[in-house]
Amino acid sequence: PLLGRDAMNIEVKILRNEHGKPAGKLADAEIHFIAGELAGLKLVGFTIWERRDGNGRRVTFPGRPLIVHGDKRNFELLRAIGNPNVLDHVRDLVLRAYEQQAQDTMRAVSQ
């Protein structure tokens, strides 16, 4: 159980991939905790990718590589406790922040 009842407030920071490598990587993202029990911390390791088929974008979560029976796999560090749909919400937050930053950049360039 949580010790306090502070509302959690987060901000998603987007760090664009200016170098274009690896291919398809658009940006890294971080979740900054602004208020609540985790205030002052950030969760890093999110990556925004162009889909290989060119149809949109996808988000990968923080993880670490491991090898199981000779196969390379990724152990995701952010996982749902119960309902796996909560992970889609996090993906949507990251993608919205990416799209908002792109719109803000376009507005600034056109002014």
Side-chain angles (χ1 to χ4, degrees):
L2 293 175
L3 299 176
R5 296 279 181 208
D6 292 344
M8 181 141 336
N9 189 2
I10 65 165
E11 181 177 31
V12 180
K13 295 282 188 175
I14 301 297
L15 309 159
R16 291 208 172 256
N17 180 13
E18 303 293 334
H19 305 291
K21 292 185 181 180
K25 181 179 176 182
L26 301 172
D28 289 308
E30 303 173 346
I31 294 180
H32 292 209
F33 297 92
I34 309 302
E37 295 291 327
L38 300 177
L41 297 173
K42 65 182 173 179
L43 181 59
V44 301
F46 298 90
T47 305
I48 302 164
W49 299 90
E50 189 71 41
R51 288 194 181 275
R52 289 183 183 154
D53 63 7
N55 254 347
R57 299 176 179 99
R58 66 185 180 93
V59 176
T60 56
F61 286 175
R64 62 183 236 206
L66 65 126
I67 297 177
V68 178
H69 303 295
D71 294 331
K72 184 177 177 185
R73 297 189 184 174
N74 192 41
F75 180 80
E76 288 191 344
L77 300 174
L78 183 65
R79 292 180 260 160
I81 294 171
N83 182 355
N85 293 335
V86 72
L87 297 174
D88 292 335
H89 180 65
V90 175
R91 284 184 184 92
D92 290 343
L93 286 172
V94 171
L95 288 173
R96 282 199 317 256
Y98 176 82
E99 290 165 9
Q100 183 64 51
Q101 186 193 62
Q103 289 175 3
D104 292 348
T105 301
M106 293 295 284
R107 268 187 245 133
V109 168
S110 66
Q111 291 180 357

